[in-house]
Amino acid sequence: MRALRRATAAVTAAVAVLTGCSAGGDDDPPTPHGQVRGITLPAWNTDDYDRPEARRYLRQIAGTGAGWVVFTPTWYQNGTRRATMHTTEETASDRSVRRIVGLAHGAGLKVMLKPHVDLVDGGDRAGIRPTDPDAWFTAYRRFITHYARLAGELDVEQFAVGTELAGTSTDRRRWTDVIAAVRDTYDGPLTYAANYDEYTRIRFWGSLDLIGIDAYWPLADSATDDPARLAKGWKPIVAELAAFSARWDKKILFTEAGYVSQRGAVAAPYSWTVSERAAVDEQSAAYEALLTAFDGRPWWAGVCWWMWDDWPDSGETAPRLAYTPHGKPAEQVLRRWWRG
């Protein structure tokens, strides 16, 4: 997630050596759905995807060499034990989702629709553990099939059936029923976006087309933009993921990955507020390390970076400290990897 850059050659070489990774090339085996080079454009308000900035943001995303964009309409529930979720003024309207998907396709971008359920109080969605699981899954099925139907109508290229719902994702039977309901509605490839500390506990990967992981592993125990330290951080993770992919015979997509441009981001990639010190070097080194560590891995389906710019007046984190790579050295890392 976020120079001026360290020497690019040094970063690439160090990560390649320590992860055992080749440079890749035209002979790399293709993924079934094509390598995903994606960036997420989230919505925080009902009209975000209707905003005039939308066209510009999509052009900028495409300009990095990205071929995919991810959209995240979000419903909310009032507590972790409740059995229903609902729209709020922070839920992107269906009209705006239709518009943004059309604009993305017009910009030459493929789309993954990745609906979220969050908590009204801002807590971690992984804490959702409903008192009445049957009622919650009935409500969730209505929610997710609504967007699956919309995805089908809009020719969306890929769909996520859930995101980071670790409090429910060990329930194989009920999630398999949800996935079947989605498949009755949408015929494109499906994934689930598991958090990096959740994915090994899930037992329904066999019902999906791709293993999705939100790749927020800490890579070091303190701030660093040293390529050797970042490579060392990725090495055991790469080995673990290779074995997991083989076990399920599924490719792995990073449904999210990112780093704030703050000092210490590599030690807590999941945090929006690591520090108040900007660190664009650390962010760009982390981008470089991830792309180098997974380049040429035939079981890796690509990455959807979190995230592009916030909408005007909606971001809670100043752009210079935020996850966005836009206008920072991390954007140039993407351009070099994705555009050549």
Side-chain angles (χ1 to χ4, degrees), residues 78-120:
N78 293 328
T80 59
R81 310 297 283 174
R82 302 295 288 272
T84 59
M85 61 285 306
H86 52 85
T87 62
T88 72
E89 70 282 352
E90 297 180 356
T91 302
S93 68
D94 286 357
R95 183 194 64 208
S96 73
V97 172
R98 291 178 182 276
R99 174 179 183 263
I100 198 76
V101 170
L103 290 176
H105 284 158
L109 293 165
K110 294 180 181 180
V111 173
M112 180 163 70
L113 197 62
K114 184 167 165 281
H116 287 186
V117 172
D118 277 334
L119 294 165
V120 169

Side-chain angles (χ1 to χ4, degrees), residues 239-318:
E240 175 185 310
L241 293 181
F244 195 79
S245 172
R247 188 179 316 143
W248 284 95
D249 193 24
K250 303 281 182 185
K251 292 181 183 290
I252 293 174
L253 172 68
F254 286 173
T255 39
E256 291 181 24
Y259 306 85
V260 290
S261 45
Q262 300 171 25
R263 180 170 172 78
V266 297
Y270 43 77
S271 175
W272 294 70
T273 53
V274 181
S275 75
E276 296 182 356
R277 293 180 57 186
V280 291
D281 288 359
E282 188 169 341
Q283 182 194 45
S284 63
Y287 267 64
E288 186 79 49
L290 185 152
L291 291 169
T292 302
F294 292 92
D295 181 43
R297 306 286 178 181
W299 46 265
W300 189 61
V303 57
C304 300
W305 291 100
W306 184 274
M307 48 172 267
W308 201 246
D309 283 358
D310 263 324
W311 304 92
D313 305 319
S314 69
E316 298 179 0
T317 304

Side-chain angles (χ1 to χ4, degrees), residues 17-47:
V17 168
L18 286 172
T19 61
C21 176
S22 69
D26 294 338
D27 295 331
D28 292 338
T31 67
H33 314 293
Q35 181 99 161
V36 173
R37 297 175 172 181
I39 298 177
T40 302
L41 184 60
W44 311 117
N45 292 290
T46 188
D47 63 348

